Amino acid sequence: MKLFKRIKDNFYGYLYNSSITIKDRTFVLFTICELTALMVSLIAGVVIGDDPINILIGLAVVILGGILLYICVKKDKLNIARIIVALTLVLVLRPVAFFLVGGVVYGGIVMFLLGGYYLVIILDGKFRIVMVLIDTAIYITSIVLTYYYPEYVPESAKSDNLYYSVVQYVIGLAVLTILITFWTRILKKETDSAEEKTKELEELNR
């Protein structure tokens, strides 16, 4: 219990540390949410009876992603982490996952929308524009391929898609709720801090 409490305190301390940029804190929170969402999806896959290979791939992504995030936070290399995550997500994970979860017809649309939103949030400048355009192009190409060549979608991905759709909807809703709640609290803290500074200045000027 003490270890859990210490982890929780450190986590909240990081999220609400005003010396760290909101973008960095959002990246850490969003990445943890995404990894947790993937873990929940894997558990659902085990219950439903998903292909063991899919489960192992997802588990490897969770473990490696968690290790990468931890190292980059410790060494203050979040910019590098963002680039690595974006390239891996767009060029490898999302295209592979598109077919493994059954394409656009058999579920997964909520998670892919959430992944696109993730890219927009964590990246900056021209790199964000380039990565979002590449991601969109790959996604549209994947949709066209599965439309004209449905045999590219594994049969295992077509089963139990209703359950996956429900799980993915709940996960997507939970992640967005957490992010919006976090941003709302940050905005309130910033507003309260600005009001306090204004009051202090007004008292000094009297």
Side-chain angles (χ1 to χ4, degrees):
M1 289 297 291
K2 288 183 178 179
L3 177 61
F4 178 76
K5 186 178 184 302
R6 191 172 72 179
I7 293 173
K8 180 183 175 182
D9 290 342
N10 289 339
F11 178 63
Y12 277 97
Y14 181 90
L15 286 184
Y16 295 104
N17 186 345
S18 58
S19 65
I20 302 171
T21 65
I22 294 177
K23 194 164 194 70
D24 281 348
R25 286 180 278 166
T26 300
F27 169 67
V28 170
L29 178 62
F30 207 163
T31 302
I32 290 174
C33 286
E34 287 282 291
L35 293 175
T36 304
L38 179 55
M39 197 66 208
V40 172
S41 183
L42 291 176
I43 294 171
V46 171
V47 173
I48 292 171
D50 195 6
D51 191 325
I53 294 177
N54 295 352
I55 301 296
L56 290 175
I57 292 173
L59 188 59
V61 170
V62 171
I63 293 172
L64 293 175
I67 292 172
L68 174 65
L69 181 64
Y70 178 79
I71 292 173
C72 289
V73 169
K74 279 291 185 182
K75 294 185 176 294
D76 195 21
K77 300 291 184 181
L78 290 179
N79 285 334
I80 296 175
R82 274 196 282 266
I83 294 172
I84 294 173
V85 168
L87 289 173
T88 305
L89 195 65
V90 171
L91 300 179
V92 181
L93 297 180
R94 280 165 69 77
V96 171
F98 181 87
F99 292 94
L100 291 182
V101 302
V104 72
V105 178
Y106 296 99
I109 188 67
V110 173
M111 298 307 290
F112 283 99
L113 285 173
L114 191 61
Y117 186 59
Y118 178 74
L119 289 174
V120 172
I121 292 297
I122 70 169
L123 300 178
D124 285 310
K126 293 180 180 178
F127 184 65
R128 174 170 60 186
I129 296 173
V130 171
M131 293 309 297
V132 169
L133 288 176
I134 292 174
D135 181 62
T136 303
I138 291 175
Y139 187 59
I140 292 173
T141 302
S142 299
I143 292 175
V144 172
L145 280 174
T146 54
Y147 179 80
Y148 287 104
Y149 304 98
E151 62 272 17
Y152 287 175
V153 178
E155 286 299 322
S156 60
K158 298 177 183 179
S159 61
D160 297 315
N161 59 81
L162 175 61
Y163 301 105
Y164 267 124
S165 296
V166 173
V167 171
Q168 289 162 2
Y169 172 78
V170 173
I171 289 172
L173 183 62
V175 171
L176 290 178
T177 300
I178 290 170
L179 286 174
I180 292 171
T181 302
F182 169 68
W183 289 329
T184 302
R185 288 182 179 178
I186 289 293
L187 181 60
K188 186 177 183 304
K189 282 180 176 289
E190 295 290 335
T191 303
D192 291 343
S193 178
E195 289 177 352
E196 287 179 8
K197 289 180 180 178
T198 302
K199 288 179 181 179
E200 289 176 0
L201 289 173
E202 288 176 351
E203 290 177 358
L204 290 173
N205 291 329
R206 287 178 183 174

